[in-house]
Amino acid sequence: MSVVIDVFSLLDCELEEEKAQHRTKFNQLLTACKSFISESLYKERLDQDTLEGLGLINSRTTFQQKYVKTKTRLYYKQQKYNLLREESEGYAKLLTELSQEITEKVTPNTLLMTIQSLIGCFNLDPNRVLDIILEVFECRSHLEDLFVSLIKLYMRDQKTVCSTVCHMLGFKFQFYQDGGDVKTPDSLYKIAALLLEQQLINLETLYPHLSPKDSAMFDEQKQVMNEAKQYARKFSIVSLTDKSDKIEELDIKIDQIENNQKLGLCHALLQVGEWTTAKLIMDRLPRHSAPARTDIAKALCALIHVIIDPLYKAKNDMSAQVLRSKLDSKLTNNAKLSLVSTYEEFAERAVKMMTYVGPNMALDPVLLMKLIRLSRVYMEKRDKTIPLTQDTIFQGILTMLDEVILPSLSLLENNCGISEEIWSVLKQMPYQYRYRLYGHWKNETYSLFPQLIRARTDCLEKAKYIMKRLTKENVKQLGRYFGKLSHSNPGILFEYVLSQIQKYDNFILPVVDSLKYLTSISYDALAYCLIEALANPDKEKMKVDEMNISKWLQSLASFCGSVFRKYSIELSGIVQYLANQLKADKSHDLLILREIVLKMAGVEISEEITDDQLNAMAGGDLLRQEGGYFAQVRNTKKSSVRLKDALLENSLAMPLCVLMSQQRDCIVYKEGGNAHLKLVGKLYDQCLDTLVQFGTFLSTQLSASEFVCKLPSIDVLTIKYHMAPDAAFFLSRQMYASSIMSKFDELRKIDKSNKENTSKQKTIRFIEAWETVLLPVVEAVKPIHPPSVWKDLTPQFYVTFWTLSIYDLFVPNDAYNKQIEQIKKQLVAIEDNWEMAANKKKKEKERCVALMDKLRDEEKKQEEHVNRVMARLKDEKDTWFTHEGVSKNDTITQVFQLCVFPRCCFTATDAVYCAKFIQILHDLKTPNFSTLICYDRMFCDVTHTLTSFTENEAHRYGRFLCFALGTLMRWHGDKAIYEKECAQHPGFVTQFRKDNVAGSQLDYENYRHICHKWHFRTTKAMVSCLESGNYVSIRNALILLIKILPHYPKMINYGNALERRVDRICQEEKDKRQDIYALAIGCAGQLKIMKKNWILETEFHIRDKVQKKPAASNGPGVSKAPASSENTVTAATANSKKTDIGLKDDKTNVKNDKKVERVSVTTSEIKLSKSESKNKVEVKKEAGDASSQAAAKEKSSSKSDESSVKDKPKKEKNDKEKSSSRDKTKKDGEKKEKSSKDKDDKEKDKIYKEDKDRGSKDDKEKSKSHKSHKDNKRDKEKKDPGSRASSVTSNGSQGSHAKRQSAEPDDKDIKRRKVEVSSSPMKVSNVVT
């Protein structure tokens, strides 16, 4: 039937009223079907109009109204259960039952039965009953066990309980969201937390009912961070307004955080110990936003207290009464909490909880102390065999320090106790881990938390306030403020302080003094901040001119030295940083190491050291400390030991030495690159000076055993590590000396037991000890150089030269006496000081007396030591130069190349040592060693040597030449001294026979001629460098000239020439190169001071009269002199102020027919040519019967010179006449000589010819750079055969140096003085260059 009525319903809709015929038939059909279709189906399916037509309803309108009312009543009218309509008494009884006093008889089951009876009796709504139970539970939350069990029994279906209760609680939370100022009660949070803990409700269902939304909280957190950054930005802007107008705290934002229902629920969960659910909520929120609320942070700290309590009591050594602390009883009684009893559990669970607290753990300093002490105990007792990278507990402690403890320290107010406790943990870690913590703390952690951003800003503001007012007078007062700030924020404070020191170096001393109130962790953080500032990649370590080290680096280096010396700060980090910089071929930071060693150990390296200090450096350790440095070394014992320990602990002592030695070559060939020579020289000097300083420090601090363990052998250093021999022997020298003395003491003990302790026996034992220690070294040095080297000198000499020091060669008695006199003056001053207390005066006197006694003992020991060394050298000298067939020139070349030059430029004391050693070689009468050749090689031409020196090397080479000149001028000044010290020495032999039998010795006058030649050569080199225009040449020439001024120049004409050129440099460089200008000004002033000591050339050496032969000269003329000695003195006196030395080549000298003084120093003969000129120099021993002829020659030569000056046009004619007369006089004199004299002349001619041929052969082997000069020389010889006879050669090598210089007057009215050189052949050989 239903289908049929549905068909009728469709037809009813399709038929239109316009088709009345069809409608009528449809109605008839419906009427006919009434018999089997009920009226209710018609009324349900058919239209109202159709029903009215069928008569089933009376009125369409009435039916519609009734239909609407019925439908509304059924679907839209609420079915009320009458909240209190049923029976208000039932709800009253329900409240009474739930609020009754709970006794043992009241159980959840009995209470449930009562509730169920009330529901049935009074027809109560079950959901409303549940709501009332929750309301009572909220008011009586302390009965959580009762109500939780009641709810579980009341709602037996778990799913129904979770859904229903969650929605009910959600409606309660929503009510308070729209409540305006009404806050959500804590009781509601608590029952929600308890139900979550019992898993009666689900967080996922409840969370959507809580406010605010997560997105709003993220926006809020971002706004809080921006506010903090704005707060920090305000203090970095210079404002003219009142700075007291600070940014106000946003109380509204804080209220919003307090009204946050999600955070309130999180807090309640932590209070009941439900960490898992609380963690889920915090993970949904912005990181660290939840613990930013004080109550949440404290609740989480309280929870951690309870969790770690078993482990803390088990691992702490304190008594039970001290350990007894007030913990939250509710959390303590919570059986569901998983407590920590082992360090593994601590690292796994507790540390993760702490990371959520972050810096907010500053709210609970007690918990901080517990965590720090637990960490300290573990670090003290941990298994050292487990690597730190594999130790999970250590990694957990590291995380806790990084994310919790150190950030919390920033929020603590001046808590130095916790700072020291933290240091007790950190000090047991390697500095790499500590510095990593400091770096993350300072550079990253502060930017993650708004409260830390504000703390950093406040710290900077206070630091600026202190630095603006810090002076030497208020260091003590402001230093305390420094200490307070550093307890909490050391990184931020020191970063600002170091930035100010880099700008203003006068802050260094006040800041260093004000750091006395720092904690240990602050000192360690300061070391890290120093390294960070030094390694700042944004700062250039060179000034804009790229030739000087930046001021900020110099300031930081000075500050490093001062602060590390005064305070016990670990040096491992800074030393390793310097080693890493050297590995990276960066030498700028060596300035830091230099300052650290200077301040901490008192080892000073300075090229401005005085002669008295240099003399004191030749003494013992005590004399060096008292008189060898500008500042007296005081109170450096502890600091030097700390530096030594840091180097040994990190195994960096010898690696640093090796790196610095290798860095010297890197500076020149790699690091220097396209840098200016001035910069390269400075870096090279800095590297070498630091190496010397550092090596000196190690030699004084390390024992002989430590040296042997740390330092490789000499062949390993030079071959494997590519260390230069000078540096290798410098490092090994002290080790060898200590080993020799140890062996010597062992041998002496044997002699004491045998009662053989004489001075002679001691010397023998000393030589034995020397040989025992150094014989292996002799074998070790052989692979260092090619075998051909050892043909010219023996390894024994090489080792002896490099292993000795200035301390071994002479005793500085003057320095000892001077220091003792100073101490005596101190005693007198102490005695006259009436203000000093008696006890202090007594102690000072005792100190001074003890110091004098120590100096005297040290002087005596050194004298004995020097005597033993000299005996040993005397015993060994015959083995130094033993190879036959080796020329002395080659021997001297190797000595200079491998020994003298490398060492004399190493340090100032080594420069003095080289000069002293050469003198000792002479004094010992060393076989096969020519002193004349050695000194001639030294002074022949220093031009090329000077141009290759750095600034400091020029200083040292100047000292070397100064001491050498001192020795030479001492011999030059007194004939008796010369006869005593030189006349009979093999070093002054001038001629050797084929059978190696020594020939004639150099007499005193010829030696004076040679000294004149050396002065001339030196002057020529100085003039060449000063006029070169090259920066390095000019600078080094001025430095060298200043150093040798005590002994050079000695002659007026040379001095005037140098003075004019120095004055010219002063004028030219005044506005250009200021460093050159300053050197030139200083040099000019010293030249003027020394001018009073200059003498005439004729006083420097005697110029004898010789015969004249027409010949062209090939050397530079220095002056014009009359023939007679008297006229020579007169002319030189009259023109001494106007003579000069000019620079012209050899061809010009030939054209101008200039005359030169020529002194040839040879190994076979030193003899002056028999030239006949106006001013003729002849150094030859004539027979006694030739003296009258010489007088006649002088008289005739004098007259001829006077006529040539008066009548210049007749010069050539007079010269021919005088030449012929002199030839005749000479022939007469030669006939009167003995027959033996003729034989000697023939022998000399033969030797000259052999040496001449050998010299030509050597000329061919010279370098291509000298080829053009030799060609010019041979051209001159072809034009003038006599010129070769008058040239000064040394195996053909003499002409390879700078161009000849000629003397030219500056004023036109001064007549040129000419010295003609004879064309007769010279009988010389092996001329020394």
Side-chain angles (χ1 to χ4, degrees):
M1 291 302 184
S2 178
V3 177
V4 173
I5 198 64
D6 287 338
V7 172
F8 289 162
S9 176
L10 291 174
L11 291 174
D12 190 16
C13 294
E14 294 293 333
L15 293 176
E16 298 179 356
E17 293 183 359
E18 292 80 9
K19 299 177 180 180
Q21 184 179 2
H22 294 165
R23 169 63 63 179
T24 302
K25 291 180 178 181
F26 178 67
N27 289 337
Q28 291 176 358
L29 178 62
L30 292 175
T31 303
C33 293
K34 281 183 179 181
S35 58
F36 59 90
I37 298 176
S38 64
E39 293 182 0
S40 60
L41 287 177
Y42 280 128
K43 293 179 181 180
E44 181 182 350
R45 307 290 177 89
L46 297 179
D47 187 67
Q48 295 174 3
D49 294 336
T50 304
L51 292 174
E52 186 179 3
L54 293 176
L56 294 177
I57 60 176
N58 297 327
S59 174
R60 173 180 175 276
T61 305
T62 304
F63 181 81
Q64 178 66 27
Q65 292 176 354
K66 187 178 180 181
Y67 172 75
V68 170
K69 289 180 180 180
T70 303
K71 186 178 180 180
T72 302
R73 185 176 65 253
L74 291 175
Y75 295 104
Y76 298 102
K77 187 175 181 180
Q78 184 178 3
Q79 295 295 329
K80 298 181 181 178
Y81 283 98
N82 191 3
L83 299 178
L84 294 176
R85 176 175 60 97
E86 298 88 358
E87 291 289 344
S88 59
E89 182 183 355
Y91 287 104
K93 288 184 177 293
L94 177 62
L95 288 173
T96 303
E97 291 293 333
L98 292 176
S99 303
Q100 66 177 316
E101 182 180 356
I102 305 301
T103 61
E104 295 180 356
K105 296 181 180 180
V106 180
T107 63
N109 291 323
T110 59
L111 196 57
L112 177 63
M113 291 177 63
T114 303
I115 293 172
Q116 288 176 346
S117 63
L118 289 173
I119 292 172
C121 180
F122 295 99
N123 195 22
L124 301 180
D125 182 15
N127 292 328
R128 182 55 186 158
V129 171
L130 179 61
D131 182 66
I132 291 174
I133 294 174
L134 293 175
E135 290 287 347
V136 176
F137 184 20
E138 184 180 348
C139 296
R140 305 185 73 181
S141 58
H142 60 283
L143 301 174
E144 56 185 85
D145 294 336
L146 175 65
F147 282 96
V148 168
S149 300
L150 178 61
I151 293 172
K152 288 181 179 179
L153 293 173
Y154 183 79
M155 304 291 290
R156 298 184 182 278
D157 188 0
Q158 185 69 25
K159 294 182 180 180
T160 305
V161 172
C162 181
S163 176
T164 305
V165 176
C166 282
H167 287 301
M168 284 186 178
L169 289 176
F171 292 150
K172 291 178 182 294
F173 280 112
Q174 289 177 7
F175 170 78
Y176 292 106
Q177 293 173 10
D178 301 330
D181 295 335
V182 180
K183 297 181 180 180
T184 305
D186 295 337
S187 57
L188 182 58
Y189 291 128
K190 185 173 182 179
I191 65 167
L194 290 172
L195 294 175
L196 284 169
E197 181 188 16
Q198 298 298 327
Q199 297 181 358
L200 293 177
I201 61 176
N202 187 6
L203 179 64
E204 297 297 331
T205 307
L206 180 62
Y207 194 80
H209 296 282
L210 304 178
S211 68
K213 294 182 179 180
D214 291 348
S215 59
M217 293 191 66
F218 276 98
D219 295 338
E220 184 182 15
Q221 179 69 13
K222 189 180 297 183
Q223 187 174 357
V224 172
M225 182 67 74
N226 292 334
E227 291 291 342
K229 292 179 180 179
Q230 181 65 24
Y231 178 82
R233 193 178 299 112
K234 181 176 180 180
F235 289 106
S236 62
I237 299 174
V238 178
S239 177
L240 299 178
T241 60
D242 186 9
K243 290 190 176 182
S244 62
D245 183 17
K246 297 184 178 180
I247 296 176
E248 298 179 356
E249 300 292 337
L250 299 179
D251 296 334
I252 299 176
K253 295 298 179 184
I254 295 176
D255 291 340
Q256 287 183 358
I257 292 176
E258 290 180 353
N259 292 328
N260 193 315
Q261 292 179 345
K262 295 178 180 178
L263 296 182
L265 179 59
C266 182
H267 174 241
L269 287 168
L270 292 173
Q271 283 184 323
V272 300
E274 180 55 27
W275 162 246
T276 304
T277 308
K279 178 177 175 294
L280 292 175
I281 295 177
M282 287 190 286
D283 289 341
R284 292 171 178 260
L285 303 179
R287 182 172 174 81
H288 300 296
S289 63
R293 265 184 51 162
T294 304
D295 53 353
I296 294 179
K298 288 184 177 180
L300 186 52
C301 290
L303 181 60
I304 297 173
H305 266 294
V306 176
I307 290 176
I308 67 171
D309 189 61
L311 179 63
Y312 181 71
K313 290 181 179 179
K315 298 299 180 180
N316 208 309
D317 298 332
M318 297 182 181
S319 62
Q321 294 181 350
V322 176
L323 293 176
R324 185 175 57 189
S325 59
K326 297 180 180 179
L327 301 178
D328 192 340
S329 58
K330 297 179 182 179
L331 294 174
T332 307
N333 298 328
N334 191 340
K336 293 184 178 181
L337 284 179
S338 57
L339 304 182
V340 169
S341 58
T342 62
Y343 275 109
E344 288 76 10
E345 295 175 348
F346 175 81
E348 183 179 357
R349 295 202 296 267
V351 173
K352 291 181 180 179
M353 297 176 64
M354 297 172 202
T355 57
Y356 282 86
V357 184
N360 300 287
M361 196 173 282
L363 298 170
D364 195 346
V366 176
L367 178 59
L368 271 177
M369 292 294 291
K370 286 184 177 180
L371 297 175
I372 294 169
R373 288 173 179 172
L374 283 174
S375 303
R376 174 176 56 80
V377 171
Y378 175 77
M379 293 300 297
E380 290 175 351
K381 298 180 180 180
R382 67 177 294 271
D383 187 2
K384 307 297 182 182
T385 58
I386 302 176
L388 293 176
T389 55
Q390 301 177 7
D391 191 344
T392 56
I393 302 175
F394 172 77
Q395 297 299 326
I397 293 175
L398 206 63
T399 302
M400 180 180 64
L401 287 167
D402 184 25
E403 299 186 16
V404 182
I405 295 179
L406 290 179
S408 300
L409 184 62
S410 300
L411 298 179
L412 289 173
E413 289 293 334
N414 310 326
N415 197 326
C416 61
I418 289 185
S419 298
E420 288 297 331
E421 288 289 338
I422 295 174
W423 175 245
S424 66
V425 179
L426 291 175
K427 69 180 181 180
Q428 302 180 63
M429 299 181 181
Y431 74 91
Q432 294 92 339
Y433 288 94
R434 299 200 311 269
Y435 287 178
R436 191 182 306 166
L437 290 173
Y438 299 149
H440 190 268
W441 180 21
K442 184 177 77 70
N443 300 322
E444 297 183 21
T445 306
Y446 277 98
S447 60
L448 298 177
F449 304 93
Q451 58 268 43
L452 289 184
I453 294 176
R454 293 175 180 269
R456 176 176 60 186
T457 304
D458 295 338
C459 178
L460 284 175
E461 186 69 14
K462 294 176 182 178
K464 291 178 182 178
Y465 177 87
I466 295 173
M467 292 297 290
K468 288 178 181 178
R469 291 158 180 80
L470 183 63
T471 60
K472 294 181 180 178
E473 290 74 20
N474 58 9
V475 163
K476 188 173 182 180
Q477 178 184 359
L478 295 182
R480 292 188 174 94
Y481 292 116
F482 260 123
K484 290 180 179 179
L485 284 178
S486 68
H487 297 336
S488 303
N489 301 280
I492 302 301
L493 172 65
F494 295 137
E495 183 181 30
Y496 176 75
V497 171
L498 292 177
S499 68
Q500 296 300 302
I501 289 176
Q502 294 175 50
K503 297 176 183 177
Y504 314 105
D505 56 358
N506 57 347
F507 266 137
I508 294 176
L509 292 179
V511 169
V512 170
D513 293 336
S514 65
L515 298 179
K516 64 176 70 175
Y517 302 102
L518 267 60
T519 57
S520 299
I521 190 175
S522 298
Y523 284 127
D524 201 46
L526 174 60
Y528 165 76
C529 292
L530 276 171
I531 298 174
E532 187 182 47
L534 292 169
N536 188 357
D538 298 330
K539 283 196 172 253
E540 292 292 338
K541 296 187 177 181
M542 301 303 300
K543 290 183 178 179
V544 180
D545 58 5
E546 294 293 336
M547 288 189 291
N548 296 286
I549 296 177
S550 296
K551 190 68 176 178
W552 70 268
L553 183 57
Q554 299 179 27
S555 300
L556 280 184
S558 178
F559 179 75
C560 283
S562 300
V563 77
F564 282 121
R565 178 185 182 274
K566 191 166 185 177
Y567 305 106
S568 298
I569 304 175
E570 186 174 349
L571 291 155
S572 302
I574 190 73
V575 175
Q576 184 64 55
Y577 166 75
L578 296 173
N580 294 340
Q581 290 295 95
L582 288 174
K583 289 179 183 178
D585 298 330
K586 298 178 182 178
S587 59
H588 302 87
D589 294 291
L590 282 176
L591 179 64
I592 304 163
L593 181 60
R594 184 173 180 176
E595 287 293 331
I596 289 175
V597 176
L598 172 62
K599 300 290 177 59
M600 297 189 69
V603 180
E604 186 178 6
I605 299 295
S606 175
E607 291 306 320
E608 303 301 327
I609 188 172
T610 64
D611 292 338
D612 290 337
Q613 290 173 331
L614 193 60
N615 201 23
M617 294 299 290
D621 294 336
L622 185 59
L623 181 62
R624 287 198 295 270
Q625 293 178 3
E626 295 296 325
Y629 303 116
F630 287 103
Q632 284 190 336
V633 180
R634 292 284 185 268
N635 303 324
T636 59
K637 184 176 181 180
K638 293 182 179 179
S639 58
S640 59
V641 171
R642 284 195 293 112
L643 179 58
K644 182 194 75 171
D645 293 341
L647 292 169
L648 295 181
E649 288 174 4
N650 295 276
S651 301
L652 287 175
M654 293 307 150
L656 275 176
C657 294
V658 174
L659 287 170
M660 281 188 281
S661 178
Q662 295 173 348
Q663 187 63 24
R664 289 195 298 168
D665 296 332
C666 291
I667 290 172
V668 178
Y669 298 106
K670 191 173 182 180
E671 185 182 5
N674 299 324
H676 194 277
L677 279 178
K678 180 180 178 181
L679 172 61
V680 176
K682 281 190 175 183
L683 293 178
Y684 186 90
D685 287 337
Q686 176 180 282
C687 184
L688 179 57
D689 291 347
T690 309
L691 173 62
V692 172
Q693 184 189 34
F694 191 71
T696 304
F697 162 73
L698 293 179
S699 64
T700 56
Q701 293 296 322
L702 298 184
S703 62
S705 59
E706 290 175 329
F707 247 115
V708 172
C709 295
K710 301 294 181 181
L711 189 67
S713 61
I714 195 70
D715 54 337
V716 174
L717 287 174
T718 53
I719 298 174
K720 181 178 180 180
Y721 295 112
H722 307 286
M723 185 181 290
D726 54 356
F729 276 105
F730 165 73
L731 296 174
S732 308
R733 193 173 296 127
Q734 185 64 30
M735 179 185 67
Y736 295 145
S738 300
S739 301
I740 290 171
M741 294 307 299
S742 299
K743 188 65 177 178
F744 176 59
D745 292 338
E746 293 178 5
L747 296 175
R748 284 181 61 190
K749 291 179 182 179
I750 298 174
D751 292 337
K752 286 182 180 180
S753 60
N754 297 333
K755 297 182 181 181
E756 296 179 0
N757 199 20
T758 62
S759 177
K760 184 177 180 181
Q761 187 66 22
K762 289 181 180 179
T763 303
I764 295 174
R765 291 302 189 186
F766 182 79
I767 296 174
E768 291 180 7
W770 192 297
E771 293 176 350
T772 303
V773 174
L774 292 186
L775 281 179
V777 182
V778 172
E779 296 299 324
V781 300
K782 290 182 179 180
I784 297 176
H785 298 293
S788 58
V789 170
W790 307 123
K791 296 180 180 179
D792 299 322
L793 72 163
T794 59
Q796 289 82 356
F797 172 80
Y798 185 80
V799 171
T800 300
F801 177 85
W802 281 107
T803 53
L804 289 177
S805 64
I806 189 66
Y807 175 83
D808 303 314
L809 298 187
F810 79 104
V811 182
N813 300 109
D814 295 339
Y816 278 108
N817 296 333
K818 182 178 179 180
Q819 201 61 38
I820 291 174
E821 290 298 325
Q822 290 181 359
I823 298 174
K824 289 180 179 178
K825 292 179 181 179
Q826 291 180 12
L827 283 172
V828 175
I830 293 171
E831 187 66 31
D832 296 341
N833 189 356
W834 299 101
E835 298 179 356
M836 186 180 295
N839 293 335
K840 187 176 181 181
K841 184 181 292 187
K842 182 179 179 181
K843 290 181 180 178
E844 288 296 320
K845 286 183 178 179
E846 291 176 354
R847 183 186 67 82
C848 292
V849 172
L851 186 59
M852 284 193 298
D853 294 339
K854 290 179 181 178
L855 284 173
R856 292 190 181 100
D857 293 341
E858 188 177 72
E859 182 181 14
K860 183 178 179 181
K861 290 180 181 179
Q862 187 176 2
E863 288 177 349
E864 295 175 355
H865 175 74
V866 170
N867 292 334
R868 289 192 291 266
V869 171
M870 289 302 166
R872 182 254 173 181
L873 294 178
K874 189 174 182 180
D875 181 70
E876 191 186 68
K877 66 176 181 177
D878 295 336
T879 64
W880 287 343
F881 311 105
T882 58
H883 295 286
E884 297 181 359
V886 177
S887 66
K888 292 183 175 57
N889 277 324
D890 296 337
T891 299
I892 297 300
T893 299
Q894 295 294 352
V895 170
F896 269 90
Q897 183 177 353
L898 302 180
C899 300
V900 176
F901 277 143
R903 187 163 183 181
C904 73
C905 299
F906 200 76
T907 64
T909 52
D910 284 326
V912 179
Y913 167 84
C914 291
K916 290 284 184 182
F917 194 85
I918 292 174
Q919 183 179 352
I920 288 175
L921 288 177
H922 169 78
D923 294 339
L924 292 175
K925 300 182 179 180
T926 306
N928 298 323
F929 179 79
S930 175
T931 310
L932 283 175
I933 297 177
C934 180
Y935 282 116
D936 192 77
R937 185 70 58 84
M938 194 184 303
F939 293 100
C940 184
D941 189 0
V942 298
T943 305
H944 304 294
T945 310
L946 275 181
T947 54
S948 63
F949 285 150
T950 64
E951 184 174 357
N952 287 356
E953 287 178 338
H955 280 282
R956 296 161 192 152
Y957 192 67
R959 290 188 184 276
F960 168 67
L961 292 185
C962 181
F963 275 84
L965 277 172
T967 302
L968 296 176
M969 297 313 296
R970 186 169 63 87
W971 294 339
H972 176 276
D974 192 337
K975 184 175 182 180
I977 296 176
Y978 178 83
E979 294 293 339
K980 179 181 178 181
E981 298 182 6
C982 304
Q984 302 302 320
H985 283 60
F988 276 72
V989 173
T990 61
Q991 182 179 357
F992 285 87
R993 304 299 182 183
K994 292 182 179 180
D995 55 357
N996 287 333
V997 178
S1000 60
Q1001 297 284 133
L1002 182 69
D1003 59 29
Y1004 178 65
E1005 288 304 326
N1006 275 335
Y1007 170 73
R1008 284 160 64 90
H1009 290 315
I1010 296 172
C1011 288
H1012 177 271
K1013 168 201 168 184
W1014 291 335
H1015 276 249
F1016 169 74
R1017 293 288 188 183
T1018 305
T1019 304
K1020 188 170 87 170
M1022 291 292 103
V1023 170
S1024 175
C1025 290
L1026 293 175
E1027 291 184 345
S1028 65
N1030 180 268
Y1031 171 83
V1032 175
S1033 299
I1034 297 174
R1035 181 198 65 191
N1036 291 350
L1038 290 173
I1039 292 173
L1040 183 68
L1041 185 57
I1042 292 172
K1043 290 296 181 183
I1044 63 177
L1045 275 178
H1047 307 293
Y1048 171 86
K1050 286 295 185 180
M1051 287 167 278
I1052 294 175
N1053 53 343
Y1054 296 166
N1056 289 338
L1058 294 173
E1059 186 178 15
R1060 280 191 290 273
R1061 283 161 176 82
V1062 172
D1063 291 339
R1064 188 185 306 163
I1065 290 175
C1066 292
Q1067 296 174 2
E1068 294 175 353
E1069 302 293 341
K1070 185 174 183 180
D1071 299 326
K1072 297 179 180 178
R1073 296 177 284 195
Q1074 293 299 319
D1075 51 347
I1076 295 291
Y1077 174 72
L1079 276 175
I1081 287 293
C1083 183
Q1086 295 189 44
L1087 278 172
K1088 287 180 174 61
I1089 295 174
M1090 300 299 296
K1091 196 171 184 178
K1092 60 184 179 181
N1093 299 325
W1094 295 348
I1095 60 177
L1096 297 174
E1097 187 177 352
T1098 53
E1099 297 178 14
F1100 190 84
H1101 69 134
I1102 298 177
R1103 300 167 60 100
D1104 295 333
K1105 176 191 170 186
V1106 294
Q1107 293 181 356
K1108 175 187 175 183
K1109 287 188 178 182
S1113 64
N1114 69 333
V1118 294
S1119 64
K1120 175 180 177 180
S1124 65
S1125 59
E1126 295 179 359
N1127 292 336
T1128 301
V1129 176
T1130 303
T1133 304
N1135 299 309
S1136 62
K1137 296 182 180 180
K1138 300 181 180 180
T1139 57
D1140 191 9
I1141 296 195
L1143 294 175
K1144 289 191 176 182
D1145 56 14
D1146 293 334
K1147 294 182 179 180
T1148 305
N1149 293 333
V1150 173
K1151 292 180 180 179
N1152 293 334
D1153 194 24
K1154 293 196 173 186
K1155 295 164 284 285
V1156 65
E1157 173 197 22
R1158 179 179 48 77
V1159 181
S1160 300
V1161 184
T1162 69
T1163 56
S1164 61
E1165 178 183 14
I1166 297 180
K1167 185 175 181 181
L1168 301 180
S1169 64
K1170 302 176 182 180
S1171 59
E1172 298 174 1
S1173 63
K1174 297 176 182 179
N1175 185 17
K1176 178 179 175 185
V1177 181
E1178 177 183 350
V1179 183
K1180 179 181 177 182
K1181 292 185 178 180
E1182 299 284 349
D1185 56 348
S1187 59
S1188 59
Q1189 296 180 5
K1193 294 175 184 177
E1194 285 183 1
K1195 187 174 180 180
S1196 61
S1197 177
S1198 176
K1199 292 180 181 180
S1200 63
D1201 283 342
E1202 292 175 359
S1203 62
S1204 66
V1205 172
K1206 294 180 181 179
D1207 193 3
K1208 203 169 185 179
K1210 300 179 180 180
K1211 177 179 178 300
E1212 296 180 356
K1213 184 177 180 181
N1214 293 335
D1215 287 343
K1216 292 180 180 180
E1217 294 177 356
K1218 285 183 279 185
S1219 177
S1220 59
S1221 62
R1222 286 170 183 167
D1223 290 339
K1224 184 178 180 181
T1225 305
K1226 180 185 175 184
K1227 291 178 180 180
D1228 295 337
E1230 288 177 349
K1231 291 179 181 179
K1232 295 179 180 179
E1233 290 180 349
K1234 297 179 181 180
S1235 59
S1236 60
K1237 177 80 166 49
D1238 295 336
K1239 294 180 180 180
D1240 291 340
D1241 289 341
K1242 292 179 181 180
E1243 183 66 25
K1244 291 176 184 179
D1245 290 339
K1246 183 178 180 181
I1247 295 173
Y1248 168 71
K1249 185 175 181 181
E1250 294 175 355
D1251 290 342
K1252 181 178 178 183
D1253 296 339
R1254 185 165 59 252
S1256 300
K1257 182 179 180 181
D1258 291 341
D1259 281 343
K1260 297 179 182 179
E1261 298 176 357
K1262 290 296 179 179
S1263 63
K1264 294 181 179 180
S1265 60
H1266 299 149
K1267 184 177 180 180
S1268 60
H1269 184 75
K1270 293 191 293 181
D1271 294 339
N1272 294 335
K1273 185 175 179 181
R1274 283 194 292 268
D1275 293 340
K1276 290 189 290 183
E1277 290 174 354
K1278 292 178 181 180
K1279 296 179 181 179
D1280 190 356
S1283 62
R1284 178 164 183 87
S1286 59
S1287 62
V1288 182
T1289 61
S1290 174
N1291 292 337
S1293 64
Q1294 186 67 23
S1296 63
H1297 296 293
K1299 295 180 179 181
R1300 299 287 185 179
Q1301 298 182 2
S1302 60
E1304 293 182 0
D1306 289 340
D1307 301 327
K1308 295 182 180 181
D1309 56 339
I1310 301 178
K1311 297 181 179 179
R1312 183 177 301 168
R1313 295 181 294 166
K1314 298 182 179 179
V1315 182
E1316 295 183 354
V1317 183
S1318 172
S1319 61
S1320 59
M1322 289 179 57
K1323 299 178 180 180
V1324 296
S1325 62
N1326 290 341
V1327 183
V1328 180
T1329 60

